[in-house]
Amino acid sequence: MPGSVASPRLRLADHALAGAGPSAALTSAAAEEPRSYWLQAFRRVRAETERRAALLSAEDQVVQSMPDASPTKWHRAHASWFFEQFLLRPHAEDYRAFDERFAYLYNSYYVSAGPRQARPQRGLITRPSADEVTAYRRHVDDAVARLIESENSLAELAPIIEIGLHHEQQHQELLLTDILHAFSLNETHPAYDPQWQWPQSTCMSANGAQRSTPLAGVHTIGHSGAGFCFDNELPAHQILLKPVRLAPSLVTNGDWFEFMADGGYATPTIWLSDGWATVEAQDWQAPGYWRKVDGAWFTMTLGGLRPINPALPVCHVSYYEADAFARWAGKHLPSEAEWEVAVQNDLLADAFGVVWQWTRSAYAPYPGYQAAPGALGEYNGKFMINQMVLRGSSLATPAGHSRATYRNFFYPSARWQFTGLRLAEYHN
């Protein structure tokens, strides 16, 4: 997301549309009515982007608080550019671009697609206005709808539409993480949504409660069968696990208070060298967005500045912090394979929809991975260096966009995302 992003090696769906996003698979009914299915999926995802942006003013939508973040207005326009660039220009013979200059402004990192605005300077794009971006989105929406309705066969278009929808869902999540970072720098502590609440914890199943036998042996991970996946989830392959047990619950704020009280941010022996250098350089003393107010700890949330609840999962911690906490606790972070197998066996509470969970796995290709040719092949392969894998999904992840094989990835110092952790330990 950008973190992680997709490539054109797709699989069409086989079950109904769920939540705000496209389904992972087509039902038999959708297979019989693909035109209706893709129109519905397209409109629903595009509407969700606008729903998330609707709580923000025009001034909110132009701000870029750091090079890793992008303005809301840019996210809205870039997702439209993606459909324009990869669907409409190649496949809609009568398509006319809304504004040819937008290709430069709203390309992200697709070198093969042409020159682009420098990423750290996206906040300088005050023009076009937010209203003009809205008009651009409607222009693209209308053109895509006409294309779907007029095309004799959707066999060639459906994979591009599908990847475009999952791509837009990634930017829906980034829209929230990026505006939260911007609001965190505002001393008036603005709320994105004053009614926002932390998601409720999921309950363990009866199977998950049976934890006497650690995971071990040969297992298959990676995507297989029907349903959409990004190319970095392929190919499915076998891995060998030594006996390991993952904590069913996420590490909490209360756990983190204990870490801090025991000198966690002042004990270099539990930190990786790069992590300790980051702690010193950035003066980390608590997770991202935590601050003391009159002696009490608060954190910046989508609902504004709120007191920290010790019972809730800790959030906005970097890989460096997660690794140091695991060392302090005498345990370790799970590998991404261990995490995926644990989910396959229904052993984890809050695996999805709360925080992305750091693993100790470096972001690298699976055995046999090959990046697709062309501009769309720039999604994943070229980022497989110097980053760490996160698994699950977060409270900002759109409905219908999570699965056990999803591989998110970020640099180890990043903590502006909704990132947390769970622990693991080996058994003889």
Side-chain angles (χ1 to χ4, degrees), residues 249-256 312-315 325 420-423:
S249 301
L250 298 166
V251 170
T252 67
N253 291 325
D255 298 327
W256 211 268
L312 293 178
V314 70
C315 189
F325 181 93
L421 69 152
R422 69 177 72 240
L423 300 178

Side-chain angles (χ1 to χ4, degrees), residues 133-360:
V133 169
T134 298
Y136 176 43
R137 285 181 63 85
R138 289 173 179 164
H139 175 83
V140 170
D141 288 350
D142 291 344
V144 171
R146 288 195 303 271
L147 180 61
I148 293 174
E149 290 169 342
S150 64
E151 192 72 9
N152 292 329
S153 172
L154 294 180
E156 185 178 2
L157 299 186
I160 305 172
I161 298 169
E162 187 170 41
I163 199 171
L165 296 181
H166 283 272
H167 167 264
E168 182 146 349
Q169 286 185 306
Q170 291 178 320
H171 283 274
Q172 290 167 1
E173 181 161 354
L174 289 170
L175 187 155
L176 296 186
T177 60
D178 292 357
I179 199 64
L180 178 61
H181 185 269
F183 284 175
S184 75
L185 302 177
N186 186 326
E187 287 303 314
T188 66
H189 317 306
Y192 164 77
D193 178 4
Q195 306 304 316
W196 177 87
Q197 295 295 327
W198 189 267
Q200 291 190 343
S201 177
T202 58
C203 297
M204 291 298 298
S205 68
N207 182 40
Q210 305 301 318
R211 300 180 55 247
S212 58
T213 303
L215 298 168
V218 176
H219 299 267
T220 299
I221 67 166
H223 197 274
S224 61
F228 175 87
C229 71
F230 293 145
D231 68 339
N232 64 359
E233 301 167 56
L234 298 171
H237 58 287
Q238 289 188 325
I239 50 90
L240 175 65
L241 297 185
K242 66 177 296 186
V244 63
R245 179 175 291 149
L246 275 66
S249 301
L250 298 166
V251 170
T252 67
N253 291 325
D255 298 327
W256 211 268
F257 277 132
E258 293 182 24
F259 172 69
M260 292 164 59
D262 198 37
Y265 284 96
T267 307
T269 53
I270 61 173
W271 291 82
L272 295 168
S273 177
D274 283 350
W276 183 248
T278 304
V279 168
E280 291 190 305
Q282 300 190 22
D283 192 28
W284 285 354
Q285 299 180 24
Y289 303 153
W290 283 32
R291 63 171 62 190
K292 264 190 175 179
V293 180
D294 296 329
W297 282 103
F298 287 74
T299 185
M300 190 64 183
T301 74
L302 292 172
L305 194 66
R306 301 244 179 115
I308 292 174
N309 183 342
L312 293 178
V314 70
C315 189
H316 301 300
V317 294
S318 67
Y319 173 82
Y320 291 141
E321 291 165 290
D323 178 76
F325 181 93
R327 293 168 189 260
W328 170 81
K331 299 181 182 180
H332 60 82
L333 299 177
S335 69
E336 62 171 321
E338 292 164 354
W339 188 96
E340 186 171 326
V341 173
V343 168
Q344 291 171 3
N345 287 274
D346 197 19
L347 296 176
L348 305 182
D350 296 326
F352 302 97
V354 182
V355 292
W356 289 100
Q357 295 134 67
W358 287 107
T359 75
R360 68 174 189 278

